[in-house]
Amino acid sequence: MTNNVLAIIPARANSKGVPGKNKMKLNGVSLVGHAYSIASKSKFVTDIVISTDDEEIIEKFLHKDDVLVHRRISKLASDESPISDTICSVISDLDKKFDFILLLQPTSPNRSATDIDICINKIIKSSHINSIVSVCKMDDIHPGRMYWISEDGSIESVLKKYETTRRQDNKPVYYRNGAIYLVRAKFFNDKKNMIISPIYPYIMDSEYLLNIDSKRDKLIAETIHNYWIENNNL
């Protein structure tokens, strides 16, 4: 039986950290263009929707046969707008039932069609999994080395248990890298959340971690993206 997999690419126009970041180019291709290209190469994705309020993005993708453009209303395009509301809006506009929903944030471009197909294939074959989230292992950045700052100015360990242990003795932690979010549609429709237990990880290499949310990220993006391409023969 064919599974209907909806890939949603959110690409609003405004961003405080990096204005116009979804149109930022890596190797001549915009971030939203990279996300679209990966989704279109997937063996499992059946429908692709770009949700945006950016007229330039709308114009670029409006006439492509393999993607639908969802015109995002202003209420769904602010910094405070939950992405779940946009996903609900996209689904309500489509006259089709889906088995799985895949969220591809343009700002995390270091992923391949193979990456998303591995995730989709796994959730199709594993009825006990409700969602899959891409993560990468963090070695030096560990909760045991992080602190809260109290009102009196002193610091308190976020995870005191690991505050004085050696790095190699710490229980590994994994960071949600923003590249892939995958959920069973029936659970998203019920909970309005892309991350629903049981949640399984798709572990990606932290060497290629790139989530463009700040000016610093923008400065290093091309270097990391090219490093990822070179080492993965893409």
Side-chain angles (χ1 to χ4, degrees), residues 20-150:
K21 65 183 179 182
N22 290 309
K23 293 186 290 187
M24 170 186 160
K25 292 186 176 182
L26 291 178
N27 293 321
V29 179
S30 68
L31 293 182
V32 68
H34 279 289
Y36 158 73
S37 177
I38 293 304
S40 66
K41 292 174 183 175
S42 167
K43 295 184 296 184
F44 296 104
V45 169
T46 56
D47 298 78
I48 305 171
V49 174
I50 295 175
S51 177
T52 185
D53 60 325
D54 189 301
E55 288 300 327
E56 188 177 334
I57 294 176
I58 290 172
E59 180 61 29
K60 182 174 179 60
F61 291 96
L62 188 60
H63 303 294
K64 287 186 177 292
D65 294 332
D66 61 346
V67 61
L68 292 174
V69 174
H70 170 259
R71 291 178 178 268
R72 201 186 301 197
I73 60 175
S74 57
K75 184 175 72 172
L76 298 177
S78 71
D79 286 327
E80 292 74 34
S81 305
I83 190 62
S84 57
D85 288 352
T86 292
I87 296 171
C88 288
S89 180
V90 169
I91 293 172
S92 68
D93 285 352
L94 298 175
D95 185 24
K96 187 173 182 178
K97 289 187 176 180
F98 295 96
D99 300 289
F100 304 97
I101 299 169
L102 172 70
L103 182 67
L104 297 175
Q105 297 184 136
T107 48
S108 298
N110 290 352
R111 71 199 146 206
S112 66
T114 299
D115 289 322
I116 64 176
D117 281 348
I118 289 172
C119 292
I120 296 169
N121 188 51
K122 184 175 181 66
I123 201 170
I124 287 173
K125 292 184 175 181
S126 307
S127 60
H128 62 288
I129 298 176
N130 287 342
S131 57
I132 293 177
V133 178
S134 60
V135 298
C136 56
K137 185 179 177 183
M138 306 302 287
D139 291 319
D140 288 331
I141 302 174
H142 191 281
R145 298 184 175 196
M146 297 179 182
Y147 295 87
W148 306 110
I149 298 180
S150 303

Side-chain angles (χ1 to χ4, degrees), residues 139-173:
D139 291 319
D140 288 331
I141 302 174
H142 191 281
R145 298 184 175 196
M146 297 179 182
Y147 295 87
W148 306 110
I149 298 180
S150 303
E151 290 184 4
D152 64 2
S154 63
I155 59 174
E156 179 182 355
S157 176
V158 170
L159 197 60
K160 195 169 183 64
K161 177 180 178 181
Y162 295 101
E163 185 179 20
T164 58
T165 56
R166 298 184 305 161
R167 183 186 68 179
Q168 56 267 41
D169 294 333
N170 287 340
K171 184 177 180 179
V173 295

